[in-house]
Amino acid sequence: MDFPPFDAGRFDTHKLDIVRLAWCRRLHLDDRALDTDAPRVEHVVDTEDITVLRIAGTTLISGPSWAVDASRTVTGQAGTDRTWMSSLLGDRSERYEIDTHTLAYGSEIGHSIDVHDPLISHDAAHARNLATHCSAADVSEAFGEPVSRNWFTLLGDDRPADSARSLAAAGYSEEQLILADMRVLTDPEHRRRGHAHVVGRLATNDAIDDGLIPQWRSRPENTIARRLAARLGYVEIGACHTAALRS
């Protein structure tokens, strides 16, 4: 599957404004800092850490003054690869740990799931049990940040719920009381069976019911996660690059 270039026209404009507001608050900007048609927004901070955020047609550079100055020599806008950030850092690159995620957002309740009458648990213990069957890398990517509530774990139906195996789980944490930052994890032995689609759909619908905008972050190379998001109706409208100074 080829992923199209960011196209904010495929996403509700009112909800796009709300996404921008959430990022402004997360990055301690004025609420309307990203409410612009300008291709670039600059924000000088007192730390050495850097954030390059692409939302629709605007790239935000938030970092120390030297990074903001250096960004003016980098052409184009930040995409999903590390080229833009690497160009900004120049010979400082080895001093930084770079992390990149694509940003996709959902806005529509979906009604189709791949499993009829699934057995779902909302107990976080079932999600923790699932993590014991997955690689450390998968667990870190899916649950690297805490999920506050709203767990949906699909259980195998071949035994009672208290001893059933956890097949896939999804949950989310709230960002600025505006976004629902999604997490999805599937047992490696039970992938490609539609389980992630089931829990992803349920968690997404729950977030929308709560008045939140679901946010799906994926590493650019994780095409499976990005395909799943697209299938669930999420629209990729940006990417976030962070560069943290190595300790």
Side-chain angles (χ1 to χ4, degrees):
M1 174 179 178
D2 292 327
F3 295 95
F6 301 141
D7 180 8
R10 298 170 54 227
F11 188 65
D12 180 271
T13 56
H14 174 65
K15 289 184 170 62
L16 175 59
D17 289 340
I18 298 173
V19 169
R20 287 170 169 153
L21 171 63
W23 276 99
C24 285
R25 292 184 176 176
R26 177 172 179 172
L27 297 174
H28 308 293
L29 300 167
D30 179 85
D31 281 356
R32 298 183 64 85
L34 293 174
D35 185 13
T36 176
D37 293 328
R40 192 172 301 189
V41 173
E42 300 175 352
H43 178 56
V44 176
V45 298
D46 292 332
T47 71
E48 287 298 305
D49 292 346
I50 304 162
T51 299
V52 175
L53 172 70
R54 170 81 179 276
I55 292 290
T58 300
T59 296
L60 164 72
I61 302 92
S62 176
S65 57
W66 66 260
V68 172
D69 291 342
S71 74
R72 296 171 190 148
T73 68
V74 184
T75 59
Q77 292 188 328
T80 58
D81 61 34
R82 297 185 177 188
T83 304
W84 209 96
M85 180 66 88
S86 297
S87 297
L88 184 154
L89 291 173
D91 56 11
R92 290 181 171 89
S93 292
E94 293 184 357
R95 297 171 53 198
Y96 280 86
E97 187 73 36
I98 301 173
D99 201 11
T100 299
H101 290 88
T102 60
L103 300 173
Y105 296 89
S107 60
E108 300 292 337
I109 291 283
H111 301 285
S112 63
I113 57 176
D114 290 346
V115 175
H116 177 67
D117 195 21
L119 179 60
I120 299 295
S121 167
H122 300 287
D123 188 339
H126 283 121
R128 289 194 293 270
N129 290 341
L130 170 64
T132 65
H133 296 284
C134 301
S135 70
D138 285 345
V139 173
S140 176
E141 180 166 357
F143 302 142
E145 297 178 22
V147 174
S148 59
R149 59 188 179 93
N150 301 305
W151 282 107
F152 295 83
T153 301
L154 176 66
L155 304 179
D157 58 6
D158 57 343
R159 61 179 67 182
D162 58 356
S163 61
R165 180 156 179 165
S166 301
L167 307 181
Y172 60 86
S173 56
E174 293 185 9
E175 293 262 354
Q176 311 299 322
L177 301 178
I178 296 173
L179 304 180
D181 200 37
M182 290 290 160
R183 311 277 192 274
V184 178
L185 185 66
T186 305
D187 186 322
E189 294 181 11
H190 294 270
R191 290 177 179 168
R192 300 185 183 278
R193 302 181 190 182
H195 299 331
H197 181 266
V198 172
V199 293
R201 170 60 67 208
L202 294 174
T204 296
N205 287 357
D206 187 73
I208 295 173
D209 282 341
D210 272 0
L212 303 171
I213 297 177
Q215 173 179 267
W216 191 288
R217 295 183 299 154
S218 304
R219 297 192 185 281
E221 64 274 14
N222 191 344
T223 56
I224 293 174
R226 293 171 71 187
R227 287 189 186 108
L228 174 59
R231 193 168 168 223
L232 291 169
Y234 286 76
V235 179
E236 278 192 10
I237 60 171
C240 183
H241 307 261
T242 57
L245 199 62
R246 298 180 190 274
S247 56

